Amino acid sequence: MTGPQPLLSVDELEVVYKGRGGKSFQALKGVSLDIRAGETVGLVGESGSGKTTIGRAILGLAKASSGRITFDGRDITHLPHRERRDLAKDIQVVFQDPYTSLNPSMTVADILAEPLLIQGRTKRDAYGRVRELLDRVQLPSDASERLPREFSGGQRQRVAIARAIALEPRLIICDEPVSALDLTTQARVLDQLIEIQEDSGVAYLFVSHDLGVVRHISHRVTVLYRGEIVEQGEVDQVTARPEHPYTQRLFMSAPVADVTQQRIRREQRRQLATEGKNTR
């Protein structure tokens, strides 16, 4: 028996960036993955692995050189601008830096109402929805008249999440959404994303360099290394019993509170690095 049709499918995606002097860089090399409705797929890898490029390609911000991206059975690989704008109702994004992703001159109410007004909602309806959104991300009602700079990093990211869910999308690209936050705030934001998913059924593509963070929120995990997938599977398998040496190194690099356990991981990383050199 086959499972439900994926909400999003990425098939053999390649992205090549053209540089100066005719030089080019291949950021993605035949990447394939899928996301089901209501599911979180963690996309993990170091800086430069190509994980952010996948999110940008899905959003239409990076041009696919080859391959195909399908959303709800529809090919969205090369959508015209107007159709891409209409797709914003279904696909939203939460960026890494909650400050630079929010207009510093706009109040929170205006930031949250903006996507609703663009989609044709009345001003009364849009600003009424703002109150619901603030309550959903556990910010006080008086937050609506404040500017982004008046909030902490964690609170700003909650505003960014509220903006992302304003249109009740079916998929949200989360691009390193907690990497700029301290560990305690990270946990709160992750738990809030999980609660939103449980209530709404939204799917997440959760991009991170931290396998520990991905383990907390994901159902399945895809590991990228230099633009290629090196491991995929259920979260328990990939994070607890990783098979690929690169995934093992990522796991050993994830911070832990226990000093003894951190020392053990350092020794394990050194051993993996030594074994890697000996097999070259």
Side-chain angles (χ1 to χ4, degrees), residues 68-77 79 83-84 87:
R68 186 182 184 193
I69 303 170
T70 306
F71 180 79
D72 197 22
R74 176 190 182 192
D75 190 341
I76 65 168
T77 316
L79 281 184
E83 293 183 46
R84 174 62 64 178
L87 191 63

Side-chain angles (χ1 to χ4, degrees), residues 35-261:
I35 306 173
R36 296 185 285 267
E39 178 185 43
T40 299
V41 171
L43 190 57
V44 64
E46 295 172 309
S47 178
S49 63
K51 59 189 187 298
T52 293
T53 299
I54 294 178
R56 288 176 57 82
I58 295 169
L59 293 165
L61 302 176
K63 184 178 179 181
S65 304
S66 65
R68 186 182 184 193
I69 303 170
T70 306
F71 180 79
D72 197 22
R74 176 190 182 192
D75 190 341
I76 65 168
T77 316
H78 302 291
L79 281 184
H81 177 70
R82 176 172 293 183
E83 293 183 46
R84 174 62 64 178
R85 185 178 60 189
D86 292 340
L87 191 63
K89 294 191 299 291
D90 290 318
I91 303 178
Q92 281 289 313
V93 60
V94 177
F95 291 107
Q96 176 179 355
D97 188 339
Y99 190 73
T100 58
S101 67
L102 302 174
N103 189 326
S105 64
M106 294 174 67
T107 65
V108 165
D110 290 339
I111 289 171
L112 299 184
E114 184 180 39
L116 296 162
L117 295 170
I118 290 173
Q119 292 295 329
R121 303 274 278 269
T122 67
K123 191 171 183 179
R124 180 177 180 178
D125 184 33
Y127 282 89
R129 172 75 170 142
V130 167
R131 291 191 292 271
E132 297 175 7
L133 292 168
L134 290 174
D135 183 62
R136 186 66 194 83
V137 298
Q138 299 175 2
L139 286 173
S141 58
D142 63 359
S144 62
E145 301 308 315
R146 294 157 63 185
L147 297 171
R149 66 170 178 266
E150 299 177 57
F151 295 92
S152 68
Q155 290 173 323
R156 285 196 293 265
Q157 197 59 293
R158 290 186 186 191
V159 174
I161 292 169
R163 182 180 59 184
I165 66 174
L167 298 174
E168 300 180 332
R170 300 170 67 191
L171 172 68
I172 298 178
I173 311 295
C174 301
D175 187 5
E176 298 272 12
V178 298
S179 64
L181 308 177
D182 63 73
L183 292 178
T184 301
T185 308
Q186 278 187 12
R188 290 174 183 164
V189 171
L190 291 174
D191 288 342
Q192 191 161 74
L193 286 170
I194 292 170
E195 289 176 9
I196 290 170
Q197 184 177 62
E198 290 173 346
D199 291 342
S200 67
V202 67
Y204 298 133
L205 177 64
F206 194 93
V207 177
S208 179
H209 66 278
D210 188 334
L211 200 59
V213 168
V214 166
R215 177 174 55 196
H216 185 87
I217 195 171
S218 303
H219 299 96
R220 291 185 293 131
V221 179
T222 295
V223 183
L224 273 180
Y225 178 64
R226 294 185 178 179
E228 297 182 88
I229 293 175
V230 296
E231 191 162 355
Q232 282 180 310
E234 299 296 322
V235 63
D236 291 340
Q237 169 62 43
V238 175
T239 61
R241 299 179 298 279
E243 297 179 357
H244 196 277
Y246 176 69
T247 312
Q248 293 170 4
R249 290 197 298 272
L250 282 178
F251 178 74
M252 299 306 170
S253 299
V256 292
D258 187 270
V259 175
T260 302
Q261 185 63 33

